[in-house]
């Protein structure tokens, strides 16, 4: 049976104390200007973990003013690049020293398994910071051989104050991907965390100050999207925005940026990524990888491989084995060893996912596994598999953001390319095959920002990540993220009395 009885198990008490619940503005933890707070909930039970200061536009004003001062007056952008590098390296060391507490906080607030928080996300946070620390003193411009007697330099300067808005599904990784490149380039930041998961960013931001970050360079405002988030997007003192979240909210963010000061915006949005299993695939391996592609992080991944396309020659075997694999998936308290799947983030997502499951049944897809909540407390959902889905069904078109696999049958390469690309999204794709030709053809034909061939969800700090089409604008990670946080300045001076 799938469910490790979340209903009857007493939730394990996390081994961490909640130290920070206020806003971080100008290096100090402070209450919201309004004095308001909001609860952050334990997704295992729906109970309150802590009350957190609720920032709104007044607090965004304070945070942007602090960031502006830190940028305009220094010392951060004027420190040597090597000094900035060393702050980020010390931060990475502190992350490792406090890894257990950070991981526990992340699992408590988000519901992802402790194995994932401590085995992947905290190490990836430290790795990403070291990656960008390494870039800090390697960002340089160039000299252009202009026509005529002019010395032409191109300088790469920080953009100034970056506003960053992150979602709840990977709070620490989103912090890393946003804050790492922004700070390495010498910017100041105002970060708006997701209202569901405010805790881990406050904790790690305190470590960043312990590592020597000057006051005001990173400000963290907890709060809601339409208030704090929208105020950040519209602020005239913000020079650049980076957003990760849903496509609908991304459109609002872009509009607010355009209507205020035309600040440039990078967006990481939703997806409905295809995972394509060819007929030459080892079916057992394909089943396992396709399973992880969709169920990882409770299915709450923007790049989840949520349309599983399977070649007709291996389809029946694939469906049978995917059903067995989903039924074996261990659901339960994310703090418990051996658990593969914790609760969904909150009641809203939980209900939305169950609505999609009902729509799958109503539209005639075959429910082969799961289909209901798991247990009777918290936001646990059974690993769910649909077979015989059709492209026009909602479950095959819309982002479910939950543990629901939708299996579709295909019979040829050209057909699957056409169907895989017939979506408004283009974040990622998976290809599973032994054929080099199929791998080459598919990886070039698929309109997506990442194509994983015979692997999935590989997220090294150096690999660019982002979407085609309505999955986003721009790229994060790698060298590509640096461009988001740099201005380009041409400096032209005449060369007097040039003899050559
Ligand atoms: P959301 O877009 O509502 O929230 C994301 C962030 O935006 C939160 O911090 C939220 O407070 C803020 N926000 C909400 N309304 C805002 C507004 N009007 N102005 C400014 N900020 C605002 O997303 P959600 O519904 O909470 O999360 C689920 C969705 O997020 C999924 O559909 C998924 O596609 C998407 N997502 C995408 C990625 C990615 O990397 N592409 C990652 C995680 C989540």
């Amino acid at each position: 049976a799938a469910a490790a009885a979340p209903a009857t198990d007493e939730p394990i008490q996390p081994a961490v104390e909640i130290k920070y619940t206020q806003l971080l503005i100008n290096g100090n933890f402070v209450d919201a200007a309004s004095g308001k707070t909001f609860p952050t909930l334990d997704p295992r039970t729906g109970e309150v973990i802590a009350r957190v200061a609720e920032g709104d536009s007044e607090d965004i004003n304070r945070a942007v003013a602090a960031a502006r001062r830190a940028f305009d007056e220094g010392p951060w952008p004027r420190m040597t690049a090597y000094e900035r590098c060393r702050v980020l390296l010390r931060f990475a060391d502190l992350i490792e020293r406090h890894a257990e507490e950070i991981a526990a906080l992340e699992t408590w607030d988000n519901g992802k398994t402790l194995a994932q928080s401590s085995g992947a996300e905290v190490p990836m946070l430290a790795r990403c910071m070291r990656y960008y620390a390494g870039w800090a003193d390697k960002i340089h411009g160039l000299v252009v051989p202009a026509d005529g007697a002019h010395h032409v330099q191109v300088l790469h300067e920080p953009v100034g104050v970056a506003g960053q808005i992150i979602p709840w599904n990977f709070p620490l990784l989103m912090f890393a991907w946003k804050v790492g490149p922004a700070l390495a380039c010498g910017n100041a930041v105002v970060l708006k965390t997701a209202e569901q998961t405010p805790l881990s960013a406050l904790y790690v931001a305190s470590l960043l100050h312990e590592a020597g970050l000057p006051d005001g360079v990173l400000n963290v405002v907890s709060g809601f999207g339409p208030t704090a988030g929208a105020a950040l997007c519209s602020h005239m003192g913000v020079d650049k925005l980076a957003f990760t979240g849903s496509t609908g909210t991304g459109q609002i963010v872009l509009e607010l940026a355009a209507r205020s000061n035309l600040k440039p915006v990078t967006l990481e949005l939703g997806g409905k990524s295809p995972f394509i299993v060819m007929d030459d695939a080892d079916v057992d391996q394909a089943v396992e990888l396709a399973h992880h592609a969709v169920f990882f992080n409770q299915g709450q991944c923007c790049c989840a491989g949520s349309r599983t396309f399977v070649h007709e020659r291996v389809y029946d075997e694939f469906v049978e084995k995917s059903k067995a694999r989903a039924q074996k998936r261990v659901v339960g308290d994310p703090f418990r060893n051996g658990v593969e799947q914790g609760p969904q983030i909150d009641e809203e997502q939980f209900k939305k996912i169950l609505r999609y499951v009902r729509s799958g049944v109503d539209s005639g897809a075959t429910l082969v596994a799961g289909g209901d909540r798991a247990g009777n407390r918290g936001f646990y959902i059974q690993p769910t598999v649909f077979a015989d889905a059709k492209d026009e069904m909602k479950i095959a078109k819309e982002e479910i953001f939950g543990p629901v696999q939708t299996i579709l049958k295909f019979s040829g390469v050209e057909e699957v390319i056409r169907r895989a690309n017939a979506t408004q999204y283009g974040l990622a794709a998976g290809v599973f095959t032994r054929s080099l030709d199929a791998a080459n053809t598919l990886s070039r034909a698929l309109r997506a920002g990442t194509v994983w061939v015979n692997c999935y969800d590989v997220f090294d700090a150096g690999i660019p990540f982002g979407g085609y089409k309505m999955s986003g604008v721009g790229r994060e990670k790698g060298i590509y993220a640096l461009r988001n946080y740099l201005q380009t300045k041409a400096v032209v001076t005449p060369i007097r009395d040039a003899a050559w």
Side-chain angles (χ1 to χ4, degrees):
T8 49
D9 285 6
E10 247 336 279
I12 293 174
Q13 179 59 33
V16 61
E17 168 199 348
I18 313 277
K19 285 194 199 147
Y20 306 107
T21 57
Q22 291 168 293
L23 312 177
L24 177 57
I25 297 178
N26 204 28
N28 298 309
F29 282 100
V30 296
D31 287 333
S34 66
K36 281 206 274 185
T37 61
F38 68 100
T40 186
L41 307 180
D42 181 341
R44 300 176 300 169
T45 58
E47 284 164 14
V48 178
I49 300 174
R51 292 196 70 90
V52 175
E54 181 185 332
D56 61 23
S57 62
E58 187 53 39
D59 305 290
I60 291 291
N61 288 342
R62 291 197 286 165
V64 173
R68 269 276 48 109
R69 255 191 328 274
F71 184 76
D72 295 339
E73 295 164 26
W76 184 245
R78 281 178 273 292
M79 281 163 74
T80 68
Y82 181 50
E83 284 172 310
R84 287 202 299 270
C85 158
R86 295 192 60 184
V87 170
L88 295 178
L89 290 176
R90 281 197 296 269
F91 177 41
D93 292 343
L94 286 170
I95 291 165
E96 283 169 353
R97 197 169 315 150
H98 296 275
E100 278 182 30
E101 291 141 273
I102 301 169
L105 214 47
E106 188 78 334
T107 289
W108 198 1
D109 214 9
N110 173 281
K112 62 182 67 206
T113 65
L114 187 62
Q116 184 185 327
S117 293
S118 60
E121 290 177 32
V122 173
M124 284 167 86
L125 167 65
R127 179 68 183 96
C128 186
M129 288 301 157
R130 291 203 178 99
Y131 175 86
Y132 283 109
W135 270 117
D137 59 354
K138 293 163 200 74
I139 295 164
H140 48 69
L142 42 82
V143 174
V144 177
D147 292 350
H150 285 101
H151 176 56
V152 180
Q153 312 163 58
V154 180
L155 307 182
H156 293 175
E157 299 181 338
V159 285
V161 173
Q164 304 182 322
I165 299 178
I166 58 175
W168 45 260
N169 57 345
F170 292 94
L172 288 171
L173 279 189
M174 294 299 108
F175 179 100
W177 295 8
K178 297 270 183 300
V179 172
L183 295 187
C185 294
N187 297 280
V189 171
V190 177
L191 178 76
K192 210 292 281 172
T193 49
E195 56 272 26
Q196 296 87 347
T197 53
L199 297 178
S200 61
L202 294 171
Y203 187 101
V204 298
S206 79
L207 297 181
L208 189 44
H209 285 80
E210 196 180 324
L213 190 78
D215 291 347
V217 176
L218 172 66
N219 305 276
V220 182
V221 179
S222 319
F224 292 85
T227 50
L232 187 58
C233 297
S234 299
H235 206 291
M236 297 299 284
V238 173
D239 300 304
K240 188 260 170 317
L241 274 180
F243 169 83
T244 297
S246 60
T247 294
T249 306
Q251 290 176 312
I252 296 173
V253 167
L254 198 55
E255 192 177 336
L256 295 174
R259 288 191 189 284
S260 50
N261 60 348
L262 284 173
K263 53 183 85 62
V265 181
T266 42
L267 301 170
E268 299 280 359
L269 308 174
K272 190 73 184 175
S273 299
F275 183 98
I276 299 170
V277 180
M278 299 300 291
D279 56 351
D280 60 11
D282 175 312
V283 175
D284 291 323
Q285 286 177 15
V287 164
E288 190 62 22
L289 196 60
H291 176 85
H292 284 288
V294 67
F295 290 101
F296 173 61
N297 205 46
Q298 291 68 247
Q300 302 167 144
C301 288
C302 47
C303 55
S306 52
R307 287 182 294 153
T308 312
F309 284 101
V310 181
H311 195 283
E312 60 184 1
R313 274 202 282 275
V314 291
Y315 181 85
D316 291 339
E317 182 186 356
F318 186 95
V319 168
E320 245 350 273
K321 289 182 168 169
S322 295
K323 169 185 175 177
R325 179 64 184 90
Q327 287 174 337
K328 228 177 60 195
R329 187 169 183 79
V330 184
V331 181
D333 190 323
F335 282 97
R336 197 173 294 286
N337 281 339
V339 164
E340 296 177 280
Q341 180 177 315
Q344 307 307 125
I345 188 71
D346 63 12
E347 189 169 9
E348 190 183 325
Q349 291 290 322
F350 172 82
K351 286 184 169 162
K352 181 176 128 187
I353 294 161
L354 291 176
R355 276 199 301 276
Y356 274 115
V357 171
R358 268 196 302 281
S359 118
V361 173
D362 291 346
S363 62
T366 309
L367 180 66
V368 298
D372 207 344
R373 70 180 303 167
N376 55 18
R377 177 170 64 178
F379 310 127
Y380 295 90
I381 291 185
Q382 295 171 355
T384 296
V385 179
F386 281 106
D388 310 323
K390 299 280 175 282
D391 294 1
E392 61 280 4
M393 291 177 180
K394 257 185 166 181
I395 55 165
K397 275 166 66 175
E398 296 176 17
E399 188 172 48
I400 300 174
F401 231 59
V404 180
Q405 183 171 31
T406 300
I407 307 180
L408 305 118
K409 190 193 285 189
F410 75 93
S411 52
V413 175
E414 280 180 20
E415 175 202 331
V416 80
I417 290 169
R418 181 177 45 76
R419 290 171 60 194
N421 283 336
T423 165
Q424 64 176 9
Y425 295 118
L427 193 57
V431 173
F432 203 84
T433 180
R434 288 189 177 116
S435 156
L436 191 58
D437 289 336
N440 284 334
T441 302
L442 286 164
S443 52
R444 277 159 183 72
L446 292 166
R447 307 263 304 149
T450 301
V451 180
W452 283 296
V453 179
N454 295 339
C455 61
Y456 210 83
D457 284 342
V458 178
F459 287 116
D460 287 24
I463 305 174
F465 184 77
Y468 282 34
K469 301 193 266 184
M470 289 178 77
S471 286
V473 177
R475 293 292 178 273
E476 293 194 305
K477 298 201 289 143
I479 190 171
Y480 298 87
L482 299 174
R483 298 179 185 166
N484 303 336
Y485 294 101
L486 292 169
Q487 273 288 15
T488 303
K489 178 185 282 175
V491 180
V492 183
T493 51
I495 304 177
R496 304 272 177 225
D497 308 320
W500 37 271

